[in-house]
Amino acid sequence: MEAVVFDGSKLSLSYQKNYPIPTIINDDDVIVKVHYSGICGTDLHIIQGEFPAIKSHPIALGHESSGVIHAVGKNSIFKVGQKVVIDPNKSCNLCDFCRNGDYQYCRTAGINSTIGIWQDGGWAQYVRAPQIQVFALPDGITTEQAGLCEPYSCVSHGFNRAAPLKVGQKILILGAGIIGNLWITTLHHHGHREVTVSEMNPTRLDIVKRMETGFRLVTPDVLAKEAKENVTYDVIIDCTGVGKVMELSFHYLKEGGKYVLFGCCPPTHTATINPFDIYNKELTVIGVKINPFSFPSAISWLKAMGSRYLDYHKLGVKTYRLSEYESALEDLKKGSVAKAMFKISED
Ligand SMILES: NC(=O)c1ccc[n+]([C@@H]2O[C@H](COP(=O)([O-])OP(=O)(O)OC[C@H]3O[C@@H](n4cnc5c(N)ncnc54)[C@H](O)[C@@H]3O)[C@@H](O)[C@H]2O)c1
Ligand SMILES: [Zn+2]
Ligand SMILES: [Zn+2]
C-alpha cells in the first residue's frame, strides 16, 4: 500500500508504494481504510527531532485519522464499512494516573504509545487500531469533517480545563494556525463574541476572516501598543507554541485572569513571568496536554457544529495526496495553509 514513512534513526521521510498492509493481530483489532489523515504541528516537531517518537524501526506517521472499517477481529463491536475515527491515544488502565482518568500523564500509554508516533499511523491507505481506540461516527458527520476530530478532542480537553469560560468575558487567542482556528470556532459556537485573535502571518489572518465570526483580528504589535493603554483580557489562550509569547503577553491578563497554555513549546523554550503579578492579580496558568477521554465530546461538537464551522476552505485546510507530502509540509511550514490534510480515499 501507499504510505509516508518516517525513519526516526535518520529523521527522514519517504513516500513508499509497497509498504506492508497491516493485518489483524489481536481479536479486538480492527483495520481502518483511511480517508483523511492530518499533518499536525507535532509531526513537524517529530520530523525535526524535537518531539519524542519511535527510533527502533520506521513507521507511517499520522495520529489524526478518519475512515471506514475494512476488517475486524473476532471480538469486534464494529462492522465492515462503518465510518469511524481513531483516537491515537489510550490509557494503560493500570498506573495511578490512568486509574484516576488522567492518561495524559501515563509513563507508558498516553502520548508514549500514540498511533502514528510509536506505531504505524494513518499516513497510509490502511491502519490497524485496537477497537478501544476507535469511535463510530454518527450519521451526518462526514469522514472529511472527522479528519479534525483529534485536534478538536484536544481543544475539548482544554475547554474543560479552562472552564468556566463565561460568555461576555474578554478572550484573546494568540496564533491562528489550525489550533487557533479550532479554538475560534469552538468559542463562537459556544456563544463567545468578545474575542480578539492575534496572528503575525497576514495569510493566516485572511483565512480567519473566512470564518465570519466577527472576532477582532490584530497583529501582535497592536496588542503591545494597547497594553500600554491598559487593555487587558480575562482569558488568554496561547496557540503559538513559542515560549517567548508567554513572556510578552502574560501582563495582558486582567485581575483574576487565566492563561491557557495550549501551545506545545519545545522543552528548551523559556519565559520570564512576574510572580508578584500572579499574587497581586490572582492569576491562573493552565496547561493542556492531549485528549484524555475527550473523543466523545469532540464527536458531539462535530455533530453540533456541522458545515457552519467544519468547512475546509474556511478553516484553511488544504488536502494532498500521500505522494504530495513534500509540498504539504512546505505549505504548512510557510503558513500558506492553516493545515495540511492527506486525502487518501473517499470510499
Ligand atoms: N495541548 C495540546 O494537546 C495540543 C494539541 C495539538 C497541538 N498543540 C500545539 O498547539 C500549537 C499550535 O498548533 P498549530 O498546528 O496551529 O501550529 P502552527 O505553528 O501552524 O500555528 C502557530 C501560529 O502562531 C503564530 N504565531 C507565532 N508567534 C506569534 C505571536 N507572537 N503572536 C501571534 N501569533 C504568533 C504563527 O505565525 C502561526 O501561524 C503547537 O505548538 C502545537 O504543538 C497542542
Ligand atoms: Zn496532533
Ligand atoms: Zn497509565
Side-chain angles (χ1 to χ4, degrees):
M1 65 172 180
E2 291 176 64
V4 174
V5 179
F6 171 67
D7 185 339
S9 66
K10 300 188 194 126
L11 298 179
S12 67
L13 271 186
S14 61
Y15 166 71
Q16 298 188 14
K17 277 191 173 157
N18 295 312
Y19 196 68
I21 297 182
T23 52
I24 302 279
I25 296 175
N26 298 309
D27 289 344
D28 64 355
D29 284 342
V30 299
I31 306 293
V32 174
K33 182 176 187 193
V34 184
H35 282 189
Y36 292 85
S37 191
I39 305 182
C40 150
T42 309
D43 295 312
L44 298 183
H45 288 305
I46 290 172
I47 296 160
Q48 287 158 14
E50 296 164 353
F51 193 91
I54 192 161
K55 282 195 167 55
S56 57
H57 61 274
I59 61 161
L61 293 182
H63 57 268
E64 309 177 349
S65 313
S66 65
V68 292
I69 298 285
H70 173 73
V72 296
K74 274 189 208 144
N75 294 342
S76 179
I77 59 166
F78 292 99
K79 291 197 175 70
V80 171
Q82 220 173 341
K83 282 191 290 177
V84 294
V85 65
I86 300 172
D87 182 345
N89 302 309
K90 66 168 187 214
S91 151
C92 81
N93 291 324
L94 293 172
C95 76
D96 288 345
F97 295 131
C98 289
R99 288 184 170 191
N100 276 305
D102 292 320
Y103 68 73
Q104 69 276 36
Y105 312 138
C106 181
R107 306 273 193 255
T108 56
I111 195 71
N112 300 305
S113 70
T114 307
I115 292 176
I117 298 182
W118 295 99
Q119 43 188 313
D120 278 315
W123 295 0
Q125 288 177 285
Y126 299 92
V127 58
R128 177 180 46 244
Q131 62 179 350
I132 197 169
Q133 287 174 255
V134 178
F135 291 77
L137 287 176
D139 288 343
I141 303 180
T142 63
T143 51
E144 179 180 293
Q145 293 168 335
L148 296 169
C149 195
E150 196 276 347
Y152 266 122
S153 74
C154 298
V155 173
S156 163
H157 176 55
F159 191 78
N160 291 342
R161 298 259 307 143
L165 292 176
K166 296 180 195 159
V167 170
Q169 281 184 317
K170 275 181 70 187
I171 303 181
L172 172 62
I173 296 177
L174 300 172
I178 191 63
I179 292 297
N181 291 356
L182 298 191
W183 270 101
I184 290 169
T185 57
T186 297
L187 293 177
H188 191 268
H189 182 237
H190 282 83
H192 292 273
R193 296 296 180 266
E194 304 301 317
V195 180
T196 298
V197 180
S198 169
E199 166 64 58
M200 58 225 221
N201 180 333
T203 313
R204 288 198 159 174
L205 271 183
D206 278 342
I207 292 172
V208 176
K209 288 181 197 153
R210 296 181 200 159
M211 287 183 263
E212 296 180 321
T213 56
F215 291 175
R216 189 171 77 111
L217 311 182
V218 297
T219 45
D221 54 308
V222 173
L223 297 177
K225 207 166 88 200
E226 289 180 346
K228 291 187 188 132
E229 296 148 16
N230 291 322
V231 175
T232 52
Y233 298 85
D234 298 298
V235 181
I236 298 180
I237 304 169
D238 169 74
C239 304
T240 69
V242 180
K244 279 289 170 212
V245 172
M246 183 181 198
E247 180 170 317
L248 294 172
S249 59
F250 199 69
H251 64 282
Y252 304 165
L253 276 178
K254 199 175 188 167
E255 285 77 355
K258 297 186 228 186
Y259 200 99
V260 181
L261 199 69
F262 194 88
C264 175
C265 300
T268 49
H269 285 197
T270 56
T272 302
I273 54 174
N274 186 337
F276 180 79
D277 267 355
I278 297 180
Y279 149 76
N280 195 37
K281 294 180 170 179
E282 289 195 324
L283 303 177
T284 307
V285 175
I286 299 169
V288 181
K289 188 178 181 189
I290 62 169
N291 60 347
F293 302 107
S294 59
F295 253 65
S297 70
I299 291 170
S300 300
W301 282 9
L302 294 181
K303 197 168 175 187
M305 283 180 164
S307 54
R308 161 66 183 93
Y309 296 102
L310 307 175
D311 178 303
Y312 274 16
H313 173 70
K314 287 186 192 164
L315 290 166
V317 182
K318 188 174 169 194
T319 59
Y320 302 80
R321 299 281 158 204
L322 287 170
S323 55
E324 297 171 322
Y325 79 94
E326 281 167 316
S327 37
L329 291 170
E330 220 171 274
D331 290 351
L332 192 57
K333 276 185 200 156
K334 62 174 190 251
S336 62
V337 300
K339 184 170 189 70
M341 177 78 76
F342 287 121
K343 180 175 177 176
I344 299 166
S345 167
E346 260 179 324
D347 51 30

